[in-house]
Amino acid sequence: MTQALLREIIDYANRANPYPLYEELRKAPVSHDGDGPYVVSTYYEIQSLLHDPRISSDARNLKATGDDPLGQSAEDEGTTLPPSFLKLDPPDHDRLRRMTNRPFGPPHTPHRVHDMREELGGLVSGLIDGIATTGNLDRVDLVDQFAYPFPVTVICRLLGVPHEDEPRFHVWAETLAASLDPDPDADPTQHGKGAMDARMELGMYLAGLIEERRKNPGDDMLSQLATADGPDGAMTTMEALSTSALLLIAGHETTVNLITNGMLTLLRHPDVLQRLREDPGLSVPIVEELLRYEPPVQLLPQRTTLSDIEVAGVTIPKGASLWLILASGNRDPKRFENPDRFDPDRKDIQHLGLGSGIHSCFGAPLARQEAQLALSELARRLENPRLLEDPPQYRQNAVLRGPRHLPIACDGILPQAA
Amino acid sequence: MTGEGRSDGALERLKREGRIVVVGASLAGLRAAETMREKGFAGSLTMIGDEPYEPYDRPPLSKQVLLGNAVADHTALPRRRAIDADWRLGVPATGLDMSARRVRLGNGDEVEYDRLLIATGVRARPWPNAEEGALKGVFVLRTRDDGEGLQQALAAGPRRVLVIGAGFTGSEIASACRERGLDVTVAERGAAPLVGALGGVIGEVAAEMHREHGVDLRTGVMVTGLEGDPSGRVRAAHFSDGSTVEADVVVVGLGAQRNTEWLAGSGLGAGPRGIACDAGCRAFDIRGIVTDDIYVAGDVARSPHALFGYQFLSLEHWGNAVAQADTAAHNMLSESADRRPHLWVPAFWSSQFGVNIKSVGVPPMGTEILVTQGSLGERRFAAVYGYQGRVIAAVTFDNCRWLPFYEHQIETTAPFPPPFATVDRRPEGHKPLPADFPDPSVPTHGPTITLSGYSPADRKMTFTPGRP
């Protein structure tokens, strides 16, 4: 039973609508089968595990297990970049995240994200203008023409990565994102090898950039990470590499899906789309509800237990692999009223879409701002937009879930606001 | 509401056309009023407050306001909804007639109620010598006016600030002074800052924070007197060790007193330790009998907590005020079977010297402490307090994201010391230490007198003013 459900989670056939499966999973807060991971699907249990110091994010604490398709990550091999802070525990996690945060957010850089607002607005306008100039409004792919290029350009500018190199690291990013995907049919050795190679190549590419920034620092984050010298000292070159690789990859796939899932949801709820058109301020609660209703990160497959712990009556042994199904917790009727309803007027919306605890999404303020701007501008400028395929074609990935293409048609594109 | 059929309709009548009076127009009073309206209370609502201001938030007063980053009169509490109340501001309540169900006001008015909520909170404990306390440059910090006055005094660039008492407020004030580049002396009668709230082990960490930030921290001393110049402005303070500190601003941070004097003679169970109430926020009268029309919430309430041996706890915590107000308001408008207990786990936070301090549970109940994550030396840690083999409280320094876990440990009476492995456990986290709270049998508040000498001729009396 459980085994069947797990296979179903990763089965592409369920990608367009995994929520009935999650509902099935939630019948037991913890599911487990044989040697596989322990799957946690209910809100309160996930929420408490995200704050539980007996749970490690460091794969080195994982007992080698047979069945867990994510059991052996390329990073364990020691032949590539060291783990990024996403896959570390305190104190190393805290130190690296703190140092990364210095040039990004409060208290040392409180205005960075806010100050990007105008630039982000310009990018959004430019991309929508671009759609207009193609002249073909009968078939617009919102992913290729908007939702992908936007966040990728943003993360490149933030880090100081030349945008013309994007095609090169796009390949690496896709490979690395795919390596997160627990594909049971892929050859694990080949799967891992590909990711390792991609990480290595990406690392070497970034090493070149960092070397250059050390000599000629700018005010981009790469320069600041390379030359940081706060109370925590400086990052080693390897630390700066894995941190910048993390930011680049995380800035790549997640926001794309947030925007695409967002437009798809809005097009399925034309009343909300109309309200957003009239009131761009509504994008704030809409994005929060989207993070609950269609979170771009569906599950966290890389946690492990440091001790035997009891969760909802099930004892999970030390060294076990945990999957926390955030998207399922977000639809837990014990936590949210009418959880399957998309309701931007929802008052109590403490979702798990950005995680929680010490690993809660580092880029959250930027992702929120990007999605808010993108959705409100698309709503305002696209005339009579409609879905051409519902459901659209999804990406393979069950972890970072989103449409591969989102073909829409519209009657016209309104000019930029004066 | 399912009152029909179970009651005589009194509750429905109360909700439709009853009179509810809230004494205390601050955080707890406002949140209770909002909850009542949310629950459909359509009757008349009167909000009585002795300050002339609408409800405002206090935590910024000892933090952002003192730094000059926020203005005291911009700390009004955001409203969750309109409450459509009759506001009686700038007028204190002066008496209560329980049998006639009336509140007397300072201006002679009387307000009748069907249900009364008392949320009169606490006020700063003043300097025990009134004449010295009235010197220019001597402050307490509790109200918006206090915050504004102290902010101006700090902005004027005093040569030295003396803070009497190193509890949370005193420590935050010292931190703000240092951030403004002012010289500051802190006088604490205990062995370390925060020792009463968090014990000696954590107090030692706090002491290092003070000293590293250039605070002239004096522990184990009392201020025996303040001295003014001929113009009536404070200029120096005398210490019990014989030393003198020259300061032109003195902040008295000796804790708080509960605002219950106005209830004297009313027959309500109100006293210096607060107003006793049951877990459902219903006040006790002096006979120990619970009332059914008078409720209490916030700092002034003293209610039994099932999780902590049914001890009557008075909590001066922001979160407690919000949660208790919500429970009180709910119960005021509910049939007895629908009422719920106030089961909030005590929690508070502070921010000082750039460090975020948070705590859950009741640390002073703890006899032992164990650093479960991080390290005291780095000032980034989580520590749990043990009491009779169970976890009773926890504190974090710059580590608050783990706190919900420890709160759950407290709620489920988890064993102490914790038997499991955690991320970031260091060698110092392997053995519990005595938590080192001051001996509770030694009086800590209020003036005391001690006697020394044996022969009648040597007998001496020493007066000790109220301690921090």
Side-chain angles (χ1 to χ4, degrees), chain B residues 214-401:
Chain B
V215 173
D216 169 31
L217 176 67
R218 318 255 186 120
T219 55
V221 295
M222 286 182 301
V223 174
T224 52
L226 300 177
E227 189 188 318
D229 65 16
S231 74
R233 165 163 279 286
V234 71
R235 57 168 294 274
H238 301 285
F239 284 29
S240 56
D241 61 5
S243 61
T244 298
V245 164
E246 303 218 347
D248 30 22
V249 170
V250 172
V251 193
V252 179
L254 297 179
Q257 288 177 313
R258 295 184 158 71
N259 291 318
T260 54
E261 291 82 353
W262 66 284
L263 294 164
S266 66
L268 204 64
R273 290 197 287 169
I275 303 167
C277 62
D278 73 359
C281 307
R282 295 180 299 178
F284 287 118
D285 68 16
I286 51 170
R287 303 168 301 172
I289 295 178
V290 77
T291 60
D292 205 30
D293 50 0
I294 304 177
Y295 288 72
V296 200
D299 295 359
V300 78
R302 201 160 77 83
S303 67
H305 203 306
L307 197 54
F308 303 99
Y310 294 96
Q311 267 195 76
F312 275 73
L313 298 177
S314 316
L315 300 167
E316 294 170 36
H317 298 168
W318 194 96
N320 183 65
V322 172
Q324 202 168 22
D326 196 58
T327 302
H330 170 87
N331 291 345
M332 287 169 86
L333 298 173
S334 298
E335 298 289 357
S336 59
D338 298 326
R339 288 182 187 145
R340 49 178 206 229
H342 174 54
L343 288 179
W344 190 74
V345 176
F348 63 84
W349 81 93
S350 174
S351 159
Q352 44 188 278
F353 304 107
V355 174
N356 173 289
I357 302 174
K358 284 196 173 187
S359 159
V360 287
V362 185
M365 266 181 93
T367 50
E368 292 175 282
I369 187 168
L370 180 78
V371 180
T372 49
Q373 294 179 265
S375 112
L376 297 176
E378 291 165 26
R379 274 178 228 137
R380 259 174 237 286
F381 60 86
V384 294
Y385 293 83
Y387 171 71
Q388 296 183 346
R390 59 175 279 205
V391 176
I392 201 84
V395 61
T396 58
F397 273 44
D398 274 350
N399 237 323
C400 65
R401 284 179 192 265

Side-chain angles (χ1 to χ4, degrees), chain A residues 48 50-56 89-91 94 97-98 306-307 356-358 360, chain B residues 373 378 380 398-406 408-409 420-424 426:
Chain A
S48 78
L50 287 171
H51 292 269
D52 194 321
R54 296 168 298 181
I55 304 299
S56 167
D89 292 332
D94 293 5
R97 180 164 168 143
R98 207 158 57 225
L306 294 178
S307 336
S356 188
I358 63 165
S360 72
Chain B
Q373 294 179 265
E378 291 165 26
R380 259 174 237 286
D398 274 350
N399 237 323
C400 65
R401 284 179 192 265
W402 296 112
L403 215 52
F405 170 79
Y406 294 106
H408 188 67
Q409 295 274 298
F420 44 74
T422 50
V423 296
D424 207 12
R426 313 282 177 89

Side-chain angles (χ1 to χ4, degrees), chain A residues 391-412:
Chain A
Q393 181 201 337
Y394 272 79
R395 293 172 198 276
Q396 168 58 39
N397 208 313
V399 175
L400 308 175
R401 170 179 167 268
R404 173 64 193 91
H405 298 287
L406 188 65
I408 65 156
C410 60
D411 295 345

Side-chain angles (χ1 to χ4, degrees), chain B residues 191-227:
Chain B
L194 311 184
V195 72
L198 296 174
V201 174
I202 303 300
E204 208 35 63
V205 179
E208 281 167 30
M209 272 160 49
H210 278 252
R211 295 202 164 104
E212 255 174 47
H213 284 84
V215 173
D216 169 31
L217 176 67
R218 318 255 186 120
T219 55
V221 295
M222 286 182 301
V223 174
T224 52
L226 300 177
E227 189 188 318

